[in-house]
Amino acid sequence: MGSLPRRQRVAAYAVVLRERAGAVQILLSRLAPRISRTEMWTLPGGGVDHGEDPRDALIREIHEETGLAATIGERARVYSAHMPRAPRDGQLVDAHAIRIVYDGWVAPDAPDPRVVEVDGSTVDAAWLPLADVLAGRVPVTASVADALEDHRPFRLQRVAAYAVVRRDRQDGPAVLLTRLSARAAHPGRWTLPGGGIDHGEPPARALAREVEEECGLACEVGELLDVHDTHFEGTAPSGRIEDFHGIHLLFRASVADGEPRVLEQDGTTDAVAWVAVRDVEAGAVEVLDVVRHALRLDEGDPA
């Protein structure tokens, strides 16, 4: 008996996760009955055409299978499966599958998934609870289990500088705060003015720049009060689930006279105001932890 014809296929897939009501969901595609007679779900993706960049192929395949516009990360894992006697197109072949699995994500406001491709290899697309997939309550291909076993959330460490600007008023002391827009991780909450430090940029210069963009006022940066940090795993404004570590340099600062106003358009800040310290302390204004931490420091209480 002669050897079987060889068939090698390169395909790209994505682990696409999102968080809803505190639970993580994964985007999966259901295989068509001609591919699997029983219910079987797999990662969205598919074959890479000759000369096609794998990431471009994956974006195309995800749209065909789910109707969603996905962003694909740079990190990938490669899996190889050799199947000496596998049925393909009505005949047995010596099959070799090379799977490139990327991290992917979609915008938080993305519509519900739906299959766009007609007569393709998938017939349904859905967000399914990751816990059910991991517990075996959702039938998935071996490639899904392999990818999830190796998957780790994207790690991001961000260094930023923030200003603690206080002012005495007739009704008591106030602090200059900015409100996070819908593009930020915690929309609607108030935080200190400031932001990320660009590569090679002195922190004090970065802070003066950020304060002017967010408050419309010239800023004089003073002494460093403390270094605050936060660490959490959650959904970034882009929709990607991240293992995030934020390092915050807190400076005492002052601003020029004038009414604060947001100069930056379509940024992470949508409002700026002098907020009474007593309202922050009483919880009447929803703020990030860094605000309370900074106020305690500025009052001389390191606790």
Side-chain angles (χ1 to χ4, degrees), residues 160 162-166 175 177 190-192 224-230 246-252 277 280-281 285-303:
Y162 293 94
V164 183
V165 186
R166 299 181 63 147
V175 61
L177 298 180
W190 292 80
T191 188
L192 300 171
L224 179 69
L225 291 171
D226 196 18
V227 178
H228 174 271
D229 82 306
T230 182
I247 300 174
H248 310 139
L249 309 181
L250 307 181
F251 290 88
R252 191 189 309 275
V277 171
V280 175
E281 294 173 341
V285 178
E286 192 173 11
V287 299
L288 298 185
D289 175 69
V290 68
V291 176
R292 295 191 181 90
H293 181 84
L295 292 178
R296 290 195 297 267
L297 288 169
D298 202 35
E299 293 167 354
D301 179 9

Side-chain angles (χ1 to χ4, degrees), residues 64-75:
E64 291 174 356
E65 295 182 357
T66 70
L68 301 179
T71 301
I72 306 301
E74 297 295 333
R75 184 177 62 181

Side-chain angles (χ1 to χ4, degrees), residues 63-135:
H63 180 263
E64 291 174 356
E65 295 182 357
T66 70
L68 301 179
T71 301
I72 306 301
E74 297 295 333
R75 184 177 62 181
R77 299 169 295 278
V78 178
Y79 302 88
S80 176
H82 182 208
M83 297 157 283
R85 294 178 61 83
R88 293 290 187 274
D89 300 325
Q91 65 172 332
L92 288 177
V93 299
D94 182 355
H96 181 204
I98 299 175
R99 303 185 180 99
I100 308 172
V101 181
Y102 292 87
D103 294 330
W105 59 95
V106 299
D109 58 353
D112 292 335
R114 61 180 181 85
V115 179
V116 174
E117 186 181 29
V118 178
D119 296 329
S121 59
T122 59
V123 293
D124 195 8
W127 291 102
L128 299 176
L130 180 61
D132 289 350
V133 175
L134 295 175

